[in-house]
Amino acid sequence: MDEVRPLLELTGATVRFGADAALSRVDFRLFPGEVHSLMGENGAGKSTLIKAITGALRLDEGTLTLAGDRVEFADPHAAQRAGISTVYQEVELLPNMTVAENICLGREPRRGGVISTRLMNARAAALLADLGLEVDPASLLGGHSVAVQQLVAIARAISADLRVLVLDEPTSSLDLDEVAELFRIIRELKSRGVAILFVSHFLDQVYEICDRVTVLRDGALVGEYLTHELLRIDLVQKMLGRGVAEVRARGRAVDDAPAGEAVLRARGVSSARGIQDADLDLGEGEVLGVAGLLGSGRTSLARALTGVTRLESGVIRIEDADVHLDSPRRAMSLGVVYSSEDRRRDGIVAELSVLDNITLALQSEQGMLRQIPAARRRDLAASWVEALDIRPPDLDRPAGTLSGGNQQKVLLARLLALSPRVLVLDEPTRGIDVGAKVEIQNLVAELAENGMSVVFISAELEEVLRVGDRVAVVRDGRITDTVAAADLTADSLLALVAQPGEDEG
Amino acid sequence: MAATTMARAPRGTAERKPSAVQTFLSRHGGMMPTFAAALILVLLFIGAEAFLRGDFITPRNISALLLDNAYLLVLAVGMTFVILTGGIDLSVGSVMAFTGILGAKMLGAGVPALVAVPVMLLGGAAIGLMIGILVQYFGVQPFIASLAGLFLGRGLAYIVSLSSIKVENDAVLWLQSTRIKLGDWYLTPTGIIALATVAIAAFVLHLTRFGRTIYAIGGNEQSARLMGLKVGRTKIAAYVISGSCAGLAGLILTAYSGAGYPRNGIGTELDAISAVVIGGTLLTGGRGYVVGSMIGVFVYGTIKTIINYMGAEQSWMQIIVGALLLLFIVVQRAIVARSEGRR
Amino acid sequence: MTAIYKHRLFWPLVSLLTLIVINFIARPQFLKITVRDGELYGPLISILRESAPLMLVALGMTIVIATRGIDLSVGAIMAVSGAVALTIIDGASDPSNMGTVTIAIVVAILVSLVLGVWNGFLVSVVGIQPIIATLVLMLAGRGVALLITGGFITTVNSDPFSFIASGYVIGLPFAFLIGVVAIVVLSIVERRTALGVLTEAVGINPEASRLAGVRSRGIIWGAYIMSGTLAGVAGLIYASNIKAADANAAGVFIELYAILAVVLGGTSLNGGKFSIAGTVIGVLIIQTLDSTILFLGVKSAQSPVFFAVVVVVVVIVQSARLRDGLAAMSGRLRARRESAQDRDKVEVA
């Protein structure tokens, strides 16, 4: 295969956002007639790379060549004209228009300047039939399932002169039959010589459909591999970036049941999309690490436990009392707090000061009319800024201007100011520098020593092992194992996380 | 839904043909609010006819409905373009007043109608262009940008004249006074202009690339851009069309009242928006029909006529239209919530 | 030094002072304040007195806009409030009775409050876009007001009621003092309690606020109630000023001027950080501009043209495109300078 020239090649690609490099010196190639997967955890640079290929982002350094010619796309439309089409996870079509229009918009068949609906429907029907899809081209797109909408998006992509098709997590909302249908179409396109970039966090699917894998981590290239030569466990290891076995800092021997009384118990917890039938016990002063890949349901679990999403079924008990967590506010009043994995989107209130951000939750718990006296607010915030070493120690600075690690600390301070009993941290160390990472890990240990119970989610297995007393493994929306951290090594945990899905056999 | 439409390639298996009703709904589900508006119109007619003992549905009344509301119909057509893109145009009432008084002044000064009328249309288009540029290139919210247009139009109207100016130009008065009769039915040139505006708008919206781009922008502006559609110039054009329609409405209103008056059309933008929404166009954009807006205008006009007939307070007009607006907004909200739930 | 002109109130204040200076140069008596019977008179005092209704409405609008909302119904609420009050006074046997007037005022304000509750319900509970939700009342409200007055302009001769707009207390116009009280009360409520910060949090990032346990529904609802109530008081001042309830003319366009005042005061229409002081300055700018335009001999009816120009200039100055353009320009300059420095460093190394 390597004697074939790559259809698309990215060399030394670097993209910076401010001072941070989202992608640094990455090489990537795509051959005609292959399905290529791009793998990596949150923040690895997958979406940045895709945007660089599809013209949504400009490269700061590096070159992009298409069929040997150097190209530079001003916008996605320019990339489309060159034969590079993208189908996104969120369907980027128009639900208010018909299937045929969604396929033909911008290049409708016209007669004397007037759109011929009849011709357009016929053309769309032919394209859909070509894909083996039977959809009424004159029906409204919004009335169809997400799966059909996704296939219509592919049909639109094909109707242009297609050379490269980028599928960005196309399967995350499809069921098994629908995935099979999609794969059939992918194989069909592959046989026509289209190069397909397939991004998915479902390992089973990657192994089923992809010829080649490129792994990214922290914006850098880990390597390019042939799928059939790469063991699943090795792939996961490369994604998570585990070094050679590291010494664990904490060595508390704990059983697989929490020591002492459980503060929080969950039984049969399911939420709309994500986690199913989860059982979980969290002891007093215990750190429960949660390990799982992106999309495994780890975030859904955290959100279900803290009232952010409502439960479809199951019960949560706090100190042996059934509780109904219908809002984050309710959960907070019961001492259960949550820190989101996306601190920019739903963590920090960027334009408010560090002071206001730290005292936000405490103030809203107190009630809006009983303001915490200004002097006390300042003292409180200042003490947290000092305790967590938030830098710069400027209480009046807008929180959005801090670095990622310091924003995370501000969020932690906001939650800790409530003196919670249960702290649920969703990837608190994601995308922050090593120093801050260690500080946060140490802080969690310290909090647990003082009797706080912590659920600690991380994509890094070492971190989960280092911080957690026990580790719950989440896979395909279920908690598959709960094991004492002392009984695990990074390798054995990796094996649990990377295990193939049951339905694959 | 997925299971039936996702049948594998036709391999001679017996296909279940969806029923005609299903096909119709899947193709024209978006027309339901417009049908609802038509139903309300019919019910209004029937109710008024029963209540007024057969004195309501007369050729004279129906003909007058079009004549009396021709200016509003033209405004509603322009407003439909803007609302379909997801915007709003608050300026139309003021712009109508401005072009109306400007036309009256020019005609009074002896300018021939052949010059005055195009100037009126261009005046409206220019204010529309200003709003469009503010919205598209300066990222100003349509509400605020068209608010500037509202102020500008109203102020300019008063600058042209502080009091009403009578129009004695034969060509303009002819638009109103001519009655093409068919039995007791009649049609004025102003009515024909209004109906022609509807017809042209319907043609443009449904059968030209420009029209489909308007819908695409309202559906999802980002997607429309990714699809390579000409989003910027289409959006600006929508405001220019709305402004031109306001200019045309100024002409019609001037002909109708035989004078230009700078206080005309205060609050008329709200009437036009209400008519469009009642006619089934979603204020969030992307869904709706210009024919629906016409039905909305007739619903509005009929309520007005009924209130006149009953000798009730005109104030009921605003309350009823407000209530209808609320009803339609809540229904639309439910529709949007349902379609979001499905995704 | 740089901190001064970077302050968000810097430009609004400069605009206001410039207007005042221009007026003073054009007619030196502009700043003249005369004392008659211990009461102050003069162009500046008139501006303060006449600004009261807009001041009240704009204050409410500020809070609504901070929550990412907008309230179009304030003009209609003014009309309803005036209609309710005057109908009660008109119906009483003695229009000048203090008790009657008090009842009328209380009832009118309560009705306005209920209308605010209605708006807030549509926005925060039903989840309708604020522009559309308040459009309903903007339309129907005037109808209700007309219905209350029976379609006529209700006029009354009631000294206690007239006092609201034209009376003097401690040498200052009573209407102006109402505005001052509203500013002080609102400042205390927003800044001495946590309401202000929580409102800003909801306006800036609704989801983060929800996760932090902020009761956003209550805060948004409260903003519309506040706006409705303040509009009600503004309606009373307006009705008192013309000694009549004119359902068609009361508060026409005031929602637009109020929004303009808020924007002039530096509060973004996208919600979030708000400034009560900024709104106060914004209102005074509008009122002074209005008085200036009149002084220039422009008919009051024609003044909207000037406001259109103001709106256009303000939105263009605030627009991201212009700011990005300027930032890009200064960024390019800086980059050029830095790369030059880099080169220097390399050479040194």
Side-chain angles (χ1 to χ4, degrees), chain B residues 283-307:
Chain B
L283 270 170
T284 44
R287 284 164 212 252
Y289 302 91
V290 73
V291 173
S293 302
M294 183 171 77
I295 294 172
V297 169
F298 288 149
V299 168
Y300 178 91
T302 307
I303 295 172
K304 208 166 186 170
T305 313
I306 292 172
I307 287 172

Side-chain angles (χ1 to χ4, degrees), chain A residues 76-77 80 91-94 96-97 101-102 105-108 110 114-115 117 132 134-136 138-140 142-146 148-149 151 156 177-178 181, chain B residues 1-2 5-10 15 23 26-30 203 206-209 212 215-216 218-220 222-229 286-287 342-343:
Chain A
H77 191 227
Q80 268 171 40
V91 181
E92 296 265 345
L93 292 181
L94 305 160
N96 60 327
M97 306 187 79
E101 282 181 318
N102 270 292
L105 260 178
R107 42 172 187 262
E108 302 94 336
R110 287 188 292 188
V114 176
I115 294 175
T117 314
E134 202 159 294
V135 180
D136 177 6
S139 58
L140 287 179
H144 293 289
S145 68
V146 178
V148 172
Q149 296 192 19
L151 296 175
R156 176 177 173 88
D177 286 347
E178 292 166 341
E181 182 73 16
Chain B
M1 200 61 195
T5 48
M6 288 258 314
R8 307 268 152 131
E15 293 168 33
T23 308
S26 74
R27 291 185 177 184
H28 305 292
F203 170 82
H206 294 282
L207 292 175
T208 67
R209 207 167 262 186
R212 299 324 286 167
Y215 277 88
N220 185 337
Q222 189 57 34
S223 299
R225 198 166 282 134
L226 280 176
M227 287 181 173
L229 303 179
R287 284 164 212 252
R342 189 154 39 186
R343 295 190 79 193

Side-chain angles (χ1 to χ4, degrees), chain A residues 195-465:
Chain A
I196 294 159
L197 176 57
F198 179 84
V199 181
S200 168
H201 46 248
F202 297 114
L203 291 185
D204 296 353
Q205 294 176 359
V206 170
Y207 275 89
E208 187 184 339
I209 193 90
C210 295
D211 306 305
R212 199 184 287 262
V213 184
T214 292
V215 180
L216 296 180
R217 194 175 62 233
D218 298 331
L221 177 70
V222 177
E224 187 202 83
Y225 314 92
L226 288 174
T227 318
H228 66 87
E229 286 175 0
L230 182 66
L231 286 178
R232 184 183 285 260
I233 193 157
D234 292 334
L235 171 58
V236 173
Q237 187 223 318
K238 290 180 195 311
M239 282 162 60
L240 302 186
R242 201 173 61 79
V244 210
E246 290 169 25
V247 189
R248 283 182 41 214
R250 289 186 87 202
R252 280 206 266 159
V254 191
D255 211 3
D256 58 346
E261 201 54 24
V263 177
L264 181 138
R265 285 174 200 276
R267 288 290 174 269
V269 164
S270 304
S271 70
R273 204 179 266 167
I275 194 81
Q276 283 152 35
D277 205 20
D279 294 349
L280 183 147
D281 291 295
L282 185 64
E284 191 179 341
E286 184 193 30
V287 180
L288 178 69
V290 174
L293 294 176
L294 183 64
S296 61
R298 59 189 194 202
T299 294
S300 306
L301 174 67
R303 291 185 160 238
L305 291 178
T306 51
V308 178
T309 48
R310 295 196 183 192
L311 300 188
E312 276 198 332
S313 60
V315 284
I316 291 174
R317 322 191 79 197
I318 292 174
E319 293 191 339
D320 290 332
D322 277 9
V323 291
H324 182 57
L325 302 178
D326 55 355
S327 69
R329 185 180 174 81
R330 175 107 188 93
M332 278 179 179
S333 68
L334 293 163
V336 180
V337 300
Y338 168 68
S339 144
S340 161
E341 98 268 40
D342 192 338
R343 36 173 189 269
R344 277 210 165 270
R345 206 189 61 217
D346 44 35
I348 288 290
V349 183
E351 288 146 49
L352 287 188
S353 65
V354 170
L355 172 73
D356 288 335
N357 265 286
I358 291 180
T359 52
L360 183 64
L362 188 64
Q363 180 62 64
S364 46
E365 192 182 46
Q366 297 250 319
M368 53 188 100
L369 294 183
R370 280 184 298 159
Q371 189 178 34
I372 308 166
R376 250 206 67 215
R377 256 158 55 92
R378 270 202 112 73
D379 285 352
L380 192 86
S383 69
W384 281 111
V385 165
E386 201 194 322
L388 301 184
D389 192 21
I390 293 171
R391 270 175 284 182
D394 176 2
L395 290 181
D396 300 313
R397 203 181 165 88
T401 61
L402 300 184
S403 72
N406 284 300
Q407 287 188 10
Q408 186 63 48
K409 288 180 185 172
V410 168
L411 258 185
L412 273 173
R414 176 197 291 172
L415 299 176
L416 292 174
L418 295 168
S419 16
R421 277 183 294 183
V422 178
L423 182 62
V424 179
L425 302 176
D426 194 353
E427 290 199 72
T429 58
R430 168 174 148 202
I432 66 180
D433 63 87
V434 181
K437 212 170 209 167
V438 172
E439 283 178 65
I440 286 176
Q441 291 169 357
N442 290 341
L443 175 71
V444 167
E446 203 176 297
L447 291 169
E449 311 258 303
N450 292 323
M452 195 179 293
S453 309
V454 183
V455 175
F456 190 97
I457 299 175
S458 175
E460 288 177 47
L461 301 183
E462 276 73 29
E463 188 178 45
V464 174
L465 281 176

Side-chain angles (χ1 to χ4, degrees), chain B residues 85 129 132-133 135-137 210 213 217 221 224-225 228-239:
Chain B
T85 66
L129 180 67
I133 287 174
V135 169
Q136 181 57 34
Y137 290 118
F210 168 75
T213 305
I217 293 171
E221 190 172 331
R225 198 166 282 134
L229 303 179
K230 297 184 176 73
V231 171
R233 70 167 84 151
T234 306
K235 252 170 94 179
I236 292 177
Y239 288 94

Side-chain angles (χ1 to χ4, degrees), chain B residues 1-72:
Chain B
M1 200 61 195
T4 54
T5 48
M6 288 258 314
R8 307 268 152 131
R11 290 185 190 117
T13 45
E15 293 168 33
R16 275 191 296 127
K17 274 270 174 212
S19 73
V21 176
Q22 274 177 327
T23 308
F24 182 82
L25 277 182
S26 74
R27 291 185 177 184
H28 305 292
M31 278 189 175
M32 290 323 283
T34 304
F35 289 139
L39 186 68
I40 287 181
L41 184 60
V42 171
L43 289 178
L44 276 175
F45 272 147
I46 294 174
E49 181 73 5
F51 197 75
L52 300 167
R53 297 188 213 301
D55 207 18
F56 189 77
I57 307 183
T58 61
R60 216 170 56 87
N61 271 351
I62 309 281
S63 302
L65 190 60
L66 179 61
L67 171 61
D68 292 341
N69 295 292
Y71 75 95
L72 188 60

